Amino acid sequence: MRTLLPPPPPSSPDHSPALASLAARILYLNPLPSTTTNLPLYVLNAAAFPSANDINHDDLVPYVLARLPNEDSLIAGLEYEILFFAKNIQGDEKKKRPGWQWYIQTYQLLSRVVRKRIRKLWVVGAEKWLRMLVEGVLVMGGEKGRRKVLFAKGWRELSGWGLKIEECCVPPTAWEAELKNGRNKSLGVGEETEKASKRAFGVTRPLPFPVGCGNATGDDQPEPRLPRVLREATSFLLTDDCIKTKGIFRVNAKAVHVEALKDAYDRGQQFTIWAEGSTMLSFPYWREGAGEIIVDELEKKDGFDAHAAAGLIKLWYKELKEPICPPSCYQALRKFYGDESLQLQPESLADMLKSNADWTFLSPIAKQILRLHLLPMLSKVTDFKEWNQMAAHNLAICFAPTLLRGSDIEEDMKITGIVTRLLGALIENWKTHLAPALDPEGHFYERLRLPEAIGDREDPLEESDPVALSLGSQMNGITLIDNDGSGSETPHDDLDDADARPALPFRTRTLVDADDSRHLPPLPPRPRTFSDAEDQRPPLPPRIRSSTIANIPTFSHPSTPWSSGQSSPANGSDHQVKRKPAPTIQPSPRYSTIMGPAPQPNSTLEHVPLYNTVEQSEEEPYGPEPDPELPGYEAVPGPTSRTTIPRKPVPNTSPERKA
């Protein structure tokens, strides 16, 4: 058995920074302890293993195992848990995955105290061969070793065992491996997300109020804050390495990364790692009793890039419950901004975004989203257009489709050009004309900072209502116009005053109990569908008697009486048609009588001659004799004897012998 040698120290010339970096991506310490035992939790990610063609996995073993707790701490009584993401990324799995021999050798290299101090081993998404291998190795440890291992098909099963995946630092490679291998239901993505609770995407209140100010109304209502998803993604996007990325907001990110980020923010994932170039950003998490938790263990390659942040922001705008430009404003957009030769003045654009505007096609919440986030962010991106090559018109082309979401796709495509031109003018005039009038103090960067209140660092949870989901699907495409002229510009006033409204009166009883003495009045007579004159329908024609139908002939013959101009029985004549009587059915002779020996006296059947052959006799006519009294029937002579057909002799085909 080989002995485990520690890796060379960083100061040694034999130390490999590349192997140390790979080991940090494969095995790392989670920022928060385990939620089940409050012990240190180590995350082992199989998707981070490099290809066997590039790196020798045997050389990687010392660097990986060196990241586990040292033996001195374990001897002192320290225990730990391991969360093993065993699923690999689909594709070239055979080249990336280490063989089962590598796992066995690595387990044998562990010391006895390292094996003994493992409290729990959580294995997620293990295939059959790996599960059999782990169970086979644990057999050697006895029943106590088998109780330490728990296998889970997906991440959702971990919550059932008490381990919260929201408090685990999950790298993008683990997200990608889980999503690409058909584990969407276990993550709550797609259909499951609609049924589950949401925090960020498609919520009723996209801009939440600070804690303790949700019930304020009127002038006392404070300015809403940005949700966590916009605050963190925008802060990372405005860093130097990201804002200079070529084609930002135009180049599509990996769909699996955007999908993973959406699910993470909807479920309240505590740690999200962003990495682009030399920039690595991770927002701290505050936990009672531990203070600020900062992630400093994960490598920069295991973070989401700038295109993923840009795609996440576009997805947030696309999935707004009420789009920025709803279908109800399409007619106003065509009327006031449909002319391409129209010059959009900064004064008219500023009036359109003011909260106290006399008239505007934008809703109050849409104007707040544009003022507080979208226009300031896009204006900052245009300041670096020499590097990212994204001018105001280019950004408007990328963002205009996300601001529209109507039931008719064709109408959305027709209005996209007008929205693009209007959004481009807003971005160009924001820094010079609109920001001084709408945001003179310039609090955009202050809104991106981490809130001081602990409750504002996470978005409120919105429980899904199945009735609201069904009503929302039914109301899709229906526009409700408020004509009361109230002109309320305060967002969510209807939601804040909902609790202060008086209760609805009780409904009147529509049914009376069986033991009630009261009786319901009788129902009124059902109205007639026809008038008295129209109800006198004509009688049906008389039916034809069955005897008459039976006398109607089904064929005609030249010799029939009515074929020569005489009247038929159906016309009232007394002439009766004579029909041929049905022949008497005789029982078939017995086989032994026909083919048996010579007949005995009194052994013949009636009307059946006994012959020893089946050939027809010359004296016996073919069939019964015709009845001469019936008209139109003539006797047809039958065959009297068997006819013999002369045949040509068969030629001799045998070869002649030569003399």
Side-chain angles (χ1 to χ4, degrees):
M1 180 183 299
R2 296 188 309 169
T3 58
L4 177 63
L5 298 177
S11 59
S12 174
D14 298 333
H15 180 78
S16 175
L19 294 179
S21 177
L22 289 175
R25 297 175 59 189
I26 295 172
L27 182 64
Y28 56 89
L29 179 64
N30 193 60
L32 292 175
S34 174
T35 56
T36 58
T37 58
N38 203 25
L39 294 176
L41 179 64
Y42 287 84
V43 179
L44 179 60
N45 183 21
F49 275 99
S51 175
N53 298 332
D54 301 332
I55 298 295
N56 187 4
H57 291 157
D58 294 338
D59 299 337
L60 191 60
V61 171
Y63 292 89
V64 173
L65 298 184
R67 302 187 63 82
L68 292 173
N70 54 45
E71 294 189 3
D72 296 337
S73 302
L74 297 176
I75 294 174
L78 178 64
E79 294 181 335
Y80 63 98
E81 295 183 3
I82 295 179
L83 176 59
F84 181 24
F85 295 114
K87 205 65 180 179
N88 210 328
I89 300 177
Q90 283 185 349
D92 200 3
E93 296 184 359
K94 293 184 179 180
K95 295 182 180 179
K96 284 190 174 183
R97 180 195 305 161
W100 60 271
Q101 300 91 344
W102 186 87
Y103 286 97
I104 294 179
Q105 293 177 4
T106 304
Y107 181 78
Q108 292 175 351
L109 291 176
L110 295 176
S111 62
R112 183 177 180 274
V113 66
V114 175
R115 304 178 194 175
K116 185 178 180 180
R117 292 302 181 182
I118 297 178
R119 176 71 66 87
K120 284 292 183 182
L121 175 60
W122 313 85
V123 184
V124 184
E127 297 184 2
K128 291 183 179 179
W129 71 270
L130 183 57
R131 182 167 183 170
M132 294 174 60
L133 177 63
V134 174
E135 291 178 348
V137 172
L138 293 175
V139 170
M140 298 181 295
E143 185 65 25
K144 186 176 180 180
R146 286 193 295 268
R147 287 198 302 264
K148 293 182 178 181
V149 182
L150 293 176
F151 293 93
K153 295 182 180 179
W155 294 6
R156 191 175 295 274
E157 295 185 15
L158 296 177
S159 301
W161 292 333
L163 184 63
K164 296 181 180 180
I165 195 66
E166 292 83 3
E167 297 188 3
C168 298
C169 187
V170 183
T173 51
W175 285 101
E176 186 176 356
E178 187 76 5
L179 289 173
K180 282 190 174 182
N181 287 278
R183 300 290 184 181
N184 293 358
K185 291 186 178 180
S186 64
L187 288 173
V189 181
E191 182 181 356
E192 294 292 331
T193 303
E194 296 296 333
K195 299 179 181 179
S197 302
K198 297 181 294 185
R199 297 177 183 268
F201 291 84
V203 295
T204 304
R205 182 172 292 175
L207 297 181
F209 289 106
V211 176
C213 303
N215 297 327
T217 58
D219 297 336
D220 297 335
Q221 192 175 45
E223 183 182 76
R225 63 175 178 84
L226 295 179
R228 179 192 170 198
V229 57
L230 292 185
R231 186 179 69 244
E232 295 185 359
T234 307
S235 299
F236 173 67
L237 192 67
L238 296 182
T239 57
D240 292 339
D241 290 334
C242 296
I243 201 170
K244 295 181 181 180
T245 303
K246 185 177 180 180
I248 193 68
F249 287 114
R250 177 176 56 84
V251 178
N252 293 329
K254 284 186 177 182
V256 64
H257 286 181
V258 178
E259 187 179 4
L261 287 170
K262 174 191 173 183
D263 180 70
Y265 280 101
D266 265 339
R267 291 187 299 106
Q269 195 75 22
Q270 303 299 339
F271 302 102
T272 304
I273 310 300
W274 304 94
E276 181 67 34
S278 59
T279 302
M280 181 181 177
L281 183 62
S282 175
F283 294 90
Y285 169 69
W286 187 89
R287 187 173 183 177
E288 186 176 357
E292 300 285 347
I293 307 298
I294 301 176
V295 180
D296 56 355
E297 188 70 20
L298 207 60
E299 278 292 311
K300 299 177 181 179
K301 293 182 180 180
D302 275 346
F304 296 99
D305 59 359
H307 294 298
L312 186 66
I313 295 174
K314 290 167 58 176
L315 183 63
W316 186 87
Y317 279 93
K318 184 178 180 180
E319 294 197 359
L320 282 173
K321 196 168 186 178
E322 181 183 356
I324 300 296
C325 298
S328 58
C329 71
Y330 288 179
Q331 184 177 359
L333 287 173
R334 294 191 185 95
K335 180 178 180 181
F336 296 102
Y337 305 102
D339 188 4
E340 297 183 0
S341 60
L342 178 65
Q343 296 293 332
L344 300 176
Q345 300 298 328
E347 293 78 9
S348 62
L349 297 176
D351 294 339
M352 180 180 63
L353 296 177
K354 289 182 179 180
S355 58
N356 56 353
D358 297 336
W359 177 89
T360 178
F361 65 90
L362 296 173
S363 63
I365 188 62
K367 289 186 289 186
Q368 285 185 341
I369 294 175
L370 291 175
R371 294 196 311 263
L372 300 181
H373 179 259
L374 183 61
L375 296 179
M377 179 191 65
L378 297 182
S379 177
K380 296 293 182 182
V381 175
T382 56
D383 294 341
F384 296 87
K385 59 184 177 181
E386 297 180 359
W387 290 272
N388 54 39
Q389 299 181 3
M390 295 299 292
H393 181 68
N394 298 339
L395 292 173
I397 292 176
C398 297
F399 260 92
T402 64
L403 307 182
L404 307 171
R405 193 180 70 253
S407 57
D408 192 350
I409 300 179
E410 186 176 355
E411 288 295 326
D412 293 348
M413 295 177 62
K414 292 180 181 179
I415 207 69
T416 302
I418 301 176
V419 177
T420 301
R421 187 169 65 255
L422 181 60
L423 182 59
L426 290 172
I427 297 173
E428 289 180 353
N429 293 276
W430 174 259
K431 188 175 183 179
T432 56
H433 299 85
L434 302 182
L438 301 176
D439 190 13
E441 298 181 1
H443 295 309
F444 176 63
Y445 283 103
E446 294 182 3
R447 301 187 193 101
L448 299 179
R449 294 178 181 175
L450 191 67
E452 296 180 0
I454 304 302
D456 292 338
R457 298 187 180 185
E458 183 59 81
D459 299 330
L461 182 64
E462 180 178 296
E463 296 291 342
S464 60
D465 186 5
V467 178
L469 290 176
S470 60
L471 291 177
S473 60
Q474 296 177 13
M475 295 292 291
N476 186 18
I478 300 178
T479 303
L480 302 179
I481 302 177
D482 188 8
N483 296 327
D484 58 354
S486 60
S488 176
E489 297 293 332
T490 304
H492 312 300
D493 282 345
D494 54 344
L495 299 177
D496 298 332
D497 298 340
D499 299 335
R501 296 177 182 175
L504 295 176
F506 293 99
R507 292 186 176 181
T508 57
R509 297 177 63 183
T510 57
L511 297 177
V512 182
D513 298 336
D515 56 351
D516 202 337
S517 59
R518 294 175 296 176
H519 299 282
L520 294 175
L523 294 175
R526 184 177 296 178
R528 299 176 61 87
T529 57
F530 298 95
S531 61
D532 295 339
E534 294 176 351
D535 202 19
Q536 301 297 331
R537 301 177 182 177
L540 296 175
R543 294 183 178 180
I544 302 177
R545 299 179 62 183
S546 59
S547 60
T548 307
I549 297 176
N551 295 331
I552 296 178
T554 57
F555 64 92
S556 62
H557 196 271
S559 61
T560 55
W562 55 85
S563 62
S564 59
Q566 301 179 11
S567 62
S568 64
N571 295 331
S573 175
D574 296 336
H575 181 76
Q576 298 294 333
V577 180
K578 294 183 179 181
R579 298 182 180 274
K580 181 180 178 180
T584 304
I585 301 176
Q586 301 292 342
S588 58
R590 296 174 60 88
Y591 179 78
S592 61
T593 306
I594 298 176
M595 304 302 294
Q600 302 294 331
N602 300 328
S603 62
T604 59
L605 298 175
E606 186 179 0
H607 304 295
V608 179
L610 298 178
Y611 301 113
N612 292 330
T613 177
V614 296
E615 296 181 358
Q616 186 71 24
S617 175
E618 296 180 1
E619 293 80 12
E620 183 70 14
Y622 180 78
E625 295 181 1
D627 191 357
E629 296 181 2
L630 293 178
Y633 291 93
E634 297 179 359
V636 180
T640 58
S641 63
R642 175 180 290 179
T643 57
T644 303
I645 301 175
R647 297 182 181 274
K648 186 177 180 180
V650 180
N652 187 11
T653 58
S654 60
E656 298 180 359
R657 296 182 179 180
K658 296 182 180 181

